[in-house]
Amino acid sequence: MEDRRLSIADEIRIIPPWAYVLAMTCFLVVQWFFYEMPIRRPMTTASFTFHTFWGAITGFMLGLFMILIGYVNRDARRRGMNVALWTLLVVLSVPNAIGFVVYFMMRHPLVLNCPKCSYDVQSGFNYCPNCRFGLVACCPECQRPAVMGATFCSNCGTSLNEVPAKLSIAG
């Protein structure tokens, strides 16, 4: 099984539509709040600029926060983590966003599918726990993962070039 690297575009695609709707709603509510407040008092050019600038910044940050909540919600699901717990942790860490930092430090590796039986397999596994299909190339002696193109096994020192037929997909 190849080590698949996800691009930024792949990560953005998992953000659910409701997160975008929530982000836009929060942005518009903040804009309304910042433009409604000065109407109650006489507005000068300086206060209009102030309200416009801080309304846009605050709305953008709140909208980004909503999108990140949606990302954590979907990412936790695809990694086999407790969705409700992680989403709640991120929502409750509003003032300093420490929940995002903790999530990104503690998140599990992606769960992938076995090419043979489609069973959910964590990324570090050498064999599928369901069908024993070999997921990575292994050393013929110690059965530890072997680096493709290496001359010797980094674990036991077995020569990998002398017996190329043995260095195959485990299984």
Side-chain angles (χ1 to χ4, degrees):
M1 186 163 10
E2 67 210 39
D3 185 23
R4 183 171 169 246
R5 301 279 181 216
L6 297 175
S7 68
I8 297 290
D10 292 334
E11 295 295 319
I12 289 173
R13 277 189 212 106
I14 72 163
I15 298 171
W18 61 261
Y20 289 111
V21 171
L22 189 59
M24 186 56 77
T25 303
C26 287
F27 181 80
L28 293 174
V29 166
V30 167
Q31 299 312 305
W32 174 82
F33 178 77
F34 272 86
Y35 289 112
E36 181 67 25
M37 293 306 288
I39 291 175
R40 300 186 194 283
R41 297 183 307 235
M43 189 171 359
T44 64
T45 304
S47 68
F48 178 75
T49 305
F50 173 81
H51 285 280
T52 302
F53 176 75
W54 286 110
I57 295 295
T58 306
F60 176 76
M61 295 303 284
L62 189 58
L64 182 63
F65 185 74
M66 295 303 141
I67 288 173
L68 286 174
I69 289 172
Y71 174 80
V72 167
N73 182 274
R74 290 291 167 93
D75 189 54
R77 180 173 291 125
R78 76 178 175 161
R79 292 176 186 272
M81 298 169 65
N82 187 331
V83 176
L85 173 73
W86 285 106
T87 304
L88 187 63
L89 177 71
V90 168
V91 168
L92 295 178
S93 70
V94 173
N96 54 13
I98 194 73
F100 289 115
V101 174
V102 171
Y103 174 75
F104 285 115
M105 289 175 57
M106 302 291 293
R107 70 183 183 169
H108 298 166
L110 281 175
V111 177
L112 305 171
N113 291 332
C114 171
K116 185 175 180 185
C117 68
S118 298
Y119 187 77
D120 289 340
V121 180
Q122 290 186 356
S123 63
F125 287 8
N126 292 342
Y127 296 93
C128 173
N130 188 47
C131 67
R132 271 185 84 187
F133 180 75
L135 302 170
V136 296
C138 293
C139 169
E141 192 66 33
C142 66
Q143 295 301 313
R144 297 256 175 115
V147 178
M148 286 302 206
T151 307
F152 297 97
C153 174
S154 60
N155 185 55
C156 68
T158 300
S159 176
L160 302 175
N161 287 340
E162 292 179 8
V163 192
K166 284 188 176 180
L167 181 61
S168 60
I169 300 298

